[in-house]
Amino acid sequence: MATPPQQEIYKHLRAFAEHFTPPPPFSPHVEISDGQIIMMMSPAGRHGLAALRIERQLQPQLPDGIVATTSGDIEEAGLGQLRRPDVIVLPEAAMDTDSAISPRALLAAVEIVSPSNPENDYESKLHHYPRLGIPHYLIVDPRDGTCVHRWAIGSREGIPVYEARVPYVFGDKMPIGEWGIDTGELPRYSQDAR
């Protein structure tokens, strides 16, 4: 859990974020992590297209009551985390809230790597998502046409970490438990966007 000073910082950042509107070209949604507000560039067309295609592929594979969606903030105030994954898989009932969704309800989170801030997905979220209890974390990178599936939360020196990792390239079928993603349907960024 976050120490009391960290919780206090998070509380102030969260209150600020509620009334803050990032200027263009930043997304209207911000994230909070490690005592900082993270402004993200508004997703480009192919970024959003990749998320949409993943959502569309997953939805028919999911059992009743489980959904894939491209919307929804997740929040764990005790760990000072407010995140907005590109695609989440969770019970629909977990979305029936006036606040952010608990990350502990998620079955999977998918992040589409942005050309402007790849370390957010490869480092920060990889560090935090197992601590948030998200069982499957998929990183989709349209810059080079690769994906990584992380799962099996274990512990290293008392800190939750993903112990399993399998890399893929666009064109592979990527299994995630009982579902899968055909990465051959995902767009690559143009050379200019990389």
Side-chain angles (χ1 to χ4, degrees):
M1 291 301 255
T3 60
Q6 290 171 319
Q7 288 178 350
E8 204 56 36
I9 290 169
Y10 179 79
K11 189 167 101 177
H12 289 293
L13 289 174
R14 187 68 168 98
F16 178 75
E18 288 288 323
H19 304 287
F20 177 66
T21 303
F26 293 102
S27 165
H29 305 286
V30 298
E31 295 185 337
I32 301 173
S33 181
D34 299 323
Q36 298 178 41
I37 288 182
I38 302 166
M39 292 192 304
M40 299 166 294
M41 298 294 284
S42 289
R46 288 189 180 111
H47 182 282
L49 180 60
L52 177 68
R53 287 181 177 171
I54 290 169
E55 175 189 37
R56 282 186 181 161
Q57 284 187 35
L58 288 173
Q59 194 58 56
Q61 302 174 58
L62 300 174
D64 286 346
I66 304 297
V67 297
T69 181
T70 56
S71 62
D73 288 336
I74 61 172
E75 180 177 35
E76 181 75 41
L79 293 175
Q81 296 292 306
L82 175 68
R83 297 295 195 162
R84 189 174 186 86
D86 293 310
V87 181
I88 55 177
V89 179
L90 73 167
E92 183 176 343
M95 297 178 72
D96 190 9
T97 177
D98 291 327
S99 357
I101 298 163
S102 168
R104 311 237 175 241
L106 271 59
L107 304 175
V110 182
E111 295 290 358
I112 314 299
V113 176
S114 166
S116 63
N117 192 11
E119 54 281 339
N120 192 30
D121 299 321
Y122 281 111
E123 296 170 18
S124 181
K125 291 178 182 178
L126 180 59
H127 175 76
H128 291 291
Y129 280 8
R131 293 175 184 191
L132 296 173
I134 300 171
H136 293 274
Y137 175 35
L138 293 87
I139 302 171
V140 174
D141 196 337
R143 297 173 311 157
D144 61 5
T146 60
C147 303
V148 178
H149 176 200
R150 302 267 191 164
W151 78 99
I153 298 173
S155 179
R156 193 170 300 136
E157 298 179 15
I159 298 171
V161 295
Y162 292 115
E163 293 184 333
R165 175 190 183 276
V166 176
Y168 296 92
V169 295
F170 280 21
D172 290 342
K173 306 271 197 266
M174 183 167 51
I176 311 143
E178 297 179 12
W179 341 302
I181 295 171
D182 180 356
T183 64
E185 293 185 11
L186 304 180
R188 297 270 310 264
Y189 294 146
S190 69
Q191 284 289 95
D192 296 341
R194 295 182 206 172

